[in-house]
Amino acid sequence: MPQSTPEYIHVEKPTIDQLISMGWQHIEGDKFNSQITERENFKQVLLIQRLKTLIKRINLDDNGNSWLDDIQVNAVVSQLERLAASRLMEANKAATELLLSGTTVLGKDGKQHIVHYIDFEHPENNDFLAINQYRVDPLWITADKGFIVPDVVLFVNGIPLVVVECKSPNLDNPITAAINDLLQYSNQRNSTQPEGAEKLFHYNLLMIAASRGRAVAGAVGANHEYYVEWKTDLTPL
């Protein structure tokens, strides 16, 4: 998106600036080079290497040392990447359960040990990254078209948990337009043909539609009427 548009100037950039001020890292996405956003290709949605690094960092033994080897880490990542469910709601439920409870791997002592993807007890140990203009190609794409580019995606430990869609305050109904885009991106408009990239939303915990001074939030499965106002101070959004 050209950086001179009202959407970018009044909504997207202030959102990014606010996140940076709160300690989030930031990467500017590129629609033609997936490696800039730490991916081998645009069909990937997890930042695999970042996720592997953080899994080792936050899962420590009683002496504060990392105990996972590369084979174990690959198995843990594979469980999150290859969810048993393929439909959006079921996949989102399965991913959420993994994120909340973790998974298990066989330790060198021959026992099963819990491995966590996110450190909920010590939030400061996690990695927080915002990527704007994050291109994702759906699995069914056959040419360089039909991809989605959400305005801002928020990652915790390389996992895309939040998608933010920004709209210019000059539009008549910017929030409605933003929600409609979110529903399109996640294939939730009951279209006869796929029109989004559902895999990005397998891990989603929150979808946010934003315009200057206002935002609403919903979850996977929520239609327009179930998005609720963001109650905290949105300045400088």
Side-chain angles (χ1 to χ4, degrees), residues 83 87-99 202:
L83 299 168
R87 295 175 66 87
L88 177 59
M89 293 298 294
E90 290 82 1
N92 184 261
K93 181 177 184 292
T96 301
E97 289 174 351
L98 280 174
L99 295 178
H202 285 182

Side-chain angles (χ1 to χ4, degrees), residues 123-135:
E124 68 278 4
N125 292 338
N126 299 298
D127 176 271
F128 299 91
L129 172 68
I131 301 180
N132 65 311
Q133 299 302 305
Y134 188 70
R135 172 177 167 174

Side-chain angles (χ1 to χ4, degrees), residues 143-157:
D144 193 26
K145 61 182 179 179
F147 54 84
I148 66 170
V149 189
D151 290 322
V152 184
V153 180
L154 307 185
F155 296 80
V156 177
N157 300 346

Side-chain angles (χ1 to χ4, degrees), residues 57-76:
R57 181 192 301 178
I58 67 176
N59 291 280
L60 306 176
D61 61 21
D62 294 338
N63 297 317
N65 299 315
S66 177
W67 58 275
L68 290 162
D69 61 29
D70 289 342
I71 294 175
Q72 292 168 320
V73 170
N74 288 340
V76 171

Side-chain angles (χ1 to χ4, degrees), residues 9-11 13-15 17-18 21 211-213 233-237:
I9 293 170
H10 297 301
V11 191
K13 187 176 187 304
T15 299
D17 291 343
Q18 183 167 325
S21 73
S211 190
R212 185 169 58 184
D233 184 10
L234 292 175
T235 306
L237 293 182

Side-chain angles (χ1 to χ4, degrees), residues 18-105:
Q18 183 167 325
L19 288 164
I20 292 172
S21 73
M22 297 167 64
W24 289 69
Q25 303 169 59
H26 170 239
I27 293 176
E28 181 87 24
D30 188 294
K31 296 178 183 178
F32 306 102
N33 185 354
S34 62
Q35 293 183 354
I36 288 178
T37 50
E38 304 179 6
R39 296 175 292 166
E40 294 180 0
N41 58 69
F42 287 117
K43 292 185 179 181
Q44 291 182 335
V45 297
L46 295 168
L47 308 185
I48 298 296
Q49 191 53 54
R50 189 176 287 250
L51 176 57
K52 289 180 178 180
T53 299
L54 267 295
I55 286 173
K56 282 190 174 183
R57 181 192 301 178
I58 67 176
N59 291 280
L60 306 176
D61 61 21
D62 294 338
N63 297 317
N65 299 315
S66 177
W67 58 275
L68 290 162
D69 61 29
D70 289 342
I71 294 175
Q72 292 168 320
V73 170
N74 288 340
V76 171
V77 171
S78 180
Q79 284 204 44
L80 191 62
E81 189 176 22
R82 296 174 175 83
L83 299 168
S86 58
R87 295 175 66 87
L88 177 59
M89 293 298 294
E90 290 82 1
N92 184 261
K93 181 177 184 292
T96 301
E97 289 174 351
L98 280 174
L99 295 178
L100 292 175
S101 302
T103 187
T104 59
V105 296

